[in-house]
Amino acid sequence: MSDSAETNPKAPNHPSPNPKQSKRVARARTLSLPDIFFKDQEAFKHAIHQMQLHQPHHQFPLATSPSPSSPTTSCSSSNTDLTALSVDPPAPDPTSLLSDTLLLHIFSKLPVTQYHYNSLVCKRWLLLHGSLVQSLKLLDWGFLDSGRIFHRFANVSDVDIVRACIRSRRNSGILVTHKAISVHVDSNFSGNGFIGAADFLPTRVIDQGLKSLAESYPNLRRLVAIGASEDGLSWMAKECQILQELELHCCGDLSLRGISGCRNLQIVKLVGWVDGFYGSVVSDIGLTILAQGCTRLVRLELCGCEGSYDGIKAIGQCCQMLEEIILRDHRMDAGWLAALSYCGNLKTLKLQSCRSIDSSPGPDEHLGLCRTLEGLHLQRCQMRPRDQHGVRALLLVCREVREIVLQDCWGLENDVFGFAGICRGVKVLSLEGCSLLTVEGLELVILSWKELQRLRVISCNKIKDSEVTPALAALFSVLKELKWRPDSRSLLQSSLAETGLGKKGGRFFRTFKG
């Protein structure tokens, strides 16, 4: 006899279940952590067993089943399972199998812009990234004073501490930039300048920082410092025997005695006076000290430095390997040009932002000659007719030059440029931003140069295409290189004339007619 509800009268008469309700009832509710704690022990063990079954094979098991040889009580097994639930095993690190040398080799193949993001992965990558950094620009002096810089970056060979030595307003949105320095300033600007004496760190603090750098980085090759004295620079000369490049801001004559022990210095940049920022005196005394101590100089750059014939002569006589001199906004006394003839190996002479070349160069027979000079560059210099004696003397000293570059030189008229005819062996001429020079003045000079091979004329508004003579056009045809864009305005008008743009009723306006 069947036990179904239809034949058994004592069976309860339940309605047939709804399919949706049956699915809802069949779906088991997921146990939460409080439910597990308040369930009996058998249900707890069953939940743990189900979690182990559904766990992927590559993960570690949540709990270890007790060994038959070491039986445990139910209370101890419960404690073991709870401990396994509360600990999340760390994910395996594939790079842990690689050595530091191999990882450094991999990182070195990546672009430099990727170094910062790689250092954020883990502590090991952070330390490895620090060993790859060789050039460092310090912004916070506390990073150096605390010694953290030496633990973070171990192989630094290039350090710039100028910004860290100035107490600038970091939260200010005003950034004043000069060719040599840039600082944040506030609105309380005084007429004395952007940086006052109180804005610099004390000299003894800077010297102590240089001492720490010298002791920790004996392989330092380049240093940029400001406000250092003889003691701090002496430590650098003593410890950093392979120091090759040095840039000093706001340094005086006596502080240069500290670098007399840097026998391997090849590049030196001295920034003495920067208008509106700071000022220091570098005169013939400092130049003589530098010349006698650093005899292996190859490049010398003087910015806002004083001096005269004696200082340049000492540089030329002692530094026989000197190949390049850069004078920026110089404050040289009259007659310094004649000392350039003592630079027997000079190949490049650059004058930048100079208000005057030489106010009184003296007679021509005392000027001398730079026989090895190859390039003469003048950028943003004043070459007005009142300074024509200095310009003529400069070209007389450099009359053996092979390349002349004149860029944005104020007051360069035809008469002043005519002195360049003295240089008969010029092969390369570059003119840019010489707005007073005309075709007549240009033709008078370059037709006398029989060895001219390359000509570059850009943004010289008084030089017109319509004024080019047949003789000048014939010279253009035999040049190896010609870049001719003297008048950008006429060039723009000719390009617009071909397209019809910019004219009333042209194609540009007709396309919008209804």
Side-chain angles (χ1 to χ4, degrees), residues 172-190:
S172 173
I174 307 174
L175 179 64
V176 180
T177 302
H178 193 266
K179 301 180 183 67
I181 191 173
S182 60
V183 294
H184 288 271
V185 298
D186 55 13
S187 57
N188 298 325
F189 170 72
S190 62

Side-chain angles (χ1 to χ4, degrees), residues 443-485:
E443 181 182 13
L444 182 63
V445 173
I446 64 176
L447 288 181
S448 63
W449 291 345
K450 304 303 180 182
E451 300 184 13
L452 186 63
Q453 299 177 0
R454 291 175 172 83
L455 177 63
R456 181 174 177 265
V457 180
I458 298 177
S459 301
C460 300
N461 294 330
K462 284 195 174 182
I463 297 179
K464 305 296 183 180
D465 295 342
S466 58
E467 299 177 0
V468 175
T469 62
L472 196 59
L475 176 63
F476 291 167
S477 62
V478 299
L479 292 177
K480 293 183 178 180
E481 180 182 350
L482 175 63
K483 193 170 184 179
W484 185 265
R485 291 189 304 176

Side-chain angles (χ1 to χ4, degrees), residues 1 169 182 256 322 434:
M1 188 174 183
R169 288 78 175 172
S182 60
L256 295 178
L322 188 63
C434 302

Side-chain angles (χ1 to χ4, degrees), residues 370-422:
C370 292
R371 299 186 181 277
T372 60
L373 193 65
E374 298 178 357
L376 176 61
H377 300 246
L378 285 85
Q379 301 175 357
R380 299 179 300 276
C381 294
Q382 295 188 11
M383 302 177 65
R384 299 176 182 179
R386 65 183 183 184
D387 302 321
Q388 60 181 349
H389 298 291
V391 177
R392 180 178 178 275
L394 175 63
L395 294 172
L396 277 175
V397 175
C398 306
R399 57 183 177 270
E400 298 291 337
V401 71
R402 296 290 183 267
E403 178 184 5
I404 296 180
V405 178
L406 303 176
Q407 180 181 356
D408 298 328
C409 292
W410 305 314
L412 182 61
E413 299 180 352
N414 294 341
D415 295 338
V416 179
F417 183 71
F419 295 131
I422 304 173

